[in-house]
Amino acid sequence: MQRADAPLHVLSPHASTRRGGAGITGHHSASTIRRYETAGVPTVSPITLWHQLAERLSVDELVMLGDALTRRTNPLSDLDAMVGSLDRLTRHRGIVALREAATLVRPRTDSPRESECRLLLVRAGLPEPEVNGTILDEDGNFVAYGDMVYREYKVLVEYDGGQHRDDEAQFHRDIDRLDLLMALGWRVLRFNRSHLRADAVIVARTREALLQRGWRPHNPPAHRPTAPQFR
C-alpha cells in the first residue's frame, strides 16, 4: 500500500507537458507506453512499471517485483512476456539489472519474503527449490502447496507470514497440514521474519535437512528451472 505522504508519479509522453507540483513527481518517456487501467485509473502496464523501476531498485527487489507479477494467484503477467519485453528495450537505464533479475524470477511465488528466502538458499550453494509445488498423498489426493519444495529429498521450506500467526483459522489449517506432511515423510522447515534477520540460520538448517536426506554438494540440483535466453 502506498504511504499517504508518498508522491504521485505522473507520466507524460512529452517533456513539455510533464506534470509537477506539490505531491506530484513528473516523468516523461520518449518511447511508446502501453496504457493500462487499474481501478478505473490510467496507468502504465505492469511490465512497463518493472522496466521503469529498474533505475531505483536493486536486482533482488526487481526479482521480488517480477515474482509478484507472475504470482501463483491472479498473476499480472507471465515470464515469457517479461523476458520478451527486454529484447525490445534499447539504451534503457537499468537494462543490465533487469536482465539479471529476469534469470532469477520464478512464477507461482506467493510473497516477497518467499522470494527473499529462495534467493538466499540458492546463493548459498543449495539446490534451487520448486516454487509452490503441489504435494499429493499416496493416493494422488491434494495435501498442500509447498512454498519451496525439494521434492527429491522430501524437504519443504515454508515462510510463515503474519497471517499464519494472527489468523486463528489459518493457524488451525497450518497445524493439520503439518501433521499430514509429517505423516507422509516430509521434513518441514518453517521460518518467519525474525529468521530473515539472521539469515545464516535459514541456510544452515536447510543445508542440514538436505544432507540428512541424501543431498551432497556435488550432486546436481534436484530442480533447476531453465534460465531465460536473451537475444
Side-chain angles (χ1 to χ4, degrees), residues 3-44:
R3 301 193 322 267
D5 60 344
L8 175 66
H9 292 262
V10 178
L11 179 68
S12 169
H14 306 290
S16 61
T17 59
R18 183 171 58 187
R19 300 290 181 177
I24 296 176
T25 299
H27 305 272
H28 83 278
S29 174
S31 59
T32 301
I33 299 297
R34 180 185 171 192
R35 181 188 171 107
Y36 201 78
E37 193 166 283
T38 304
V41 178
T43 65
V44 297

Side-chain angles (χ1 to χ4, degrees), residues 180-192:
L180 283 172
L181 290 166
M182 291 174 64
L184 292 171
W186 285 85
R187 173 76 167 91
V188 183
L189 304 173
R190 299 176 69 183
F191 301 111
N192 59 25

